[in-house]
Amino acid sequence: QALNMERAANIDGAVTLYREALKDDPQFTPASGNLGIIHLQQGLKDEAAVEFERALKNIPDPRYHWGLAAIFSEHKLYSLAIYHYGEAVKASSADPSLHKALAVTYGAMGRLDSAEEEYGKALAIAPGNEAARLGLAAVLIRKNQVDRGLAELKKALEANPANKEIHRLLGGAYEKK
């Protein structure tokens, strides 16, 4: 019933039913996991982390790993974020957004080779993924591989010539050159 309420956009009702289900059975993993997802969407990250941890004790659902990874990354707990993104990727390796998120985390840590590799995986799955292409370009420029970064930015510009961010990044890359 809670899932039906969630689908009908009755989030408060779904939260109430998930909590009731967990009172009846604290080990009811889908209720914890779905409650974690709702909390994350509502910006209640601490509550979401607690529910994801509870859920992951019983079911290694990639959505719960992804949620925890996003929370840990935001709090700059990068090693934990990488672990959970890695677990999510194991189950959903064809999801380019997971590879992109992992690349962003590696980039924030300064692990630019790993970031480049993950952006490459995201682009291999979805060549039109503009965010991954811009992320890859930024990493390449940070690695002082400006010509390769410019090539990626030009590809992004061909796909979306009206994007001001691409033009700004191109300008910055040419200044570095």
Side-chain angles (χ1 to χ4, degrees):
Q1 288 178 334
L3 192 55
N4 288 336
M5 285 194 159
E6 195 176 337
R7 289 181 182 145
N10 183 351
I11 301 303
D12 292 335
V15 167
T16 301
L17 288 177
Y18 284 134
R19 285 187 179 144
E20 287 175 9
L22 287 168
K23 281 181 188 172
D24 293 341
D25 180 4
Q27 301 301 315
F28 185 47
T29 302
S32 288
N34 290 343
L35 194 53
I37 291 168
I38 290 171
H39 286 324
L40 186 59
Q41 291 168 344
Q42 293 175 327
L44 304 170
K45 294 186 172 74
D46 292 342
E47 292 87 343
V50 168
E51 296 301 337
F52 288 141
E53 287 289 345
R54 279 188 196 150
L56 284 169
K57 286 179 185 176
N58 297 313
I59 296 176
D61 189 309
R63 296 173 304 150
Y64 309 155
H65 280 293
W66 189 341
L68 270 177
I71 292 166
F72 289 141
S73 186
E74 184 176 308
H75 288 261
K76 297 182 178 58
L77 299 169
Y78 298 127
S79 294
L80 288 169
I82 286 171
Y83 167 77
H84 285 286
Y85 279 132
E87 291 300 306
V89 165
K90 284 179 191 177
S92 301
S93 62
D95 186 340
S97 58
L98 270 174
H99 290 286
K100 182 197 153 294
L102 185 53
V104 168
T105 303
Y106 279 131
M109 292 179 72
R111 293 177 54 185
L112 301 181
D113 289 337
S114 297
E116 179 182 354
E117 181 181 335
E118 290 302 323
Y119 280 126
K121 289 177 183 178
L123 288 168
I125 297 164
N129 187 321
E130 184 176 286
R133 182 138 343 258
L134 295 180
L136 175 59
V139 164
L140 292 170
I141 292 166
R142 281 177 63 192
K143 290 175 63 175
N144 290 319
Q145 296 179 14
V146 178
D147 288 336
R148 287 184 61 211
L150 281 168
E152 293 300 328
L153 289 171
K154 288 176 183 175
K155 289 178 189 174
L157 187 62
E158 286 176 22
N160 189 358
N163 185 322
K164 292 178 184 178
E165 177 68 9
I166 298 170
H167 289 281
R168 187 188 67 72
L169 291 170
L170 273 169
Y174 281 121
E175 284 179 2
K176 265 193 137 178
K177 194 168 178 184

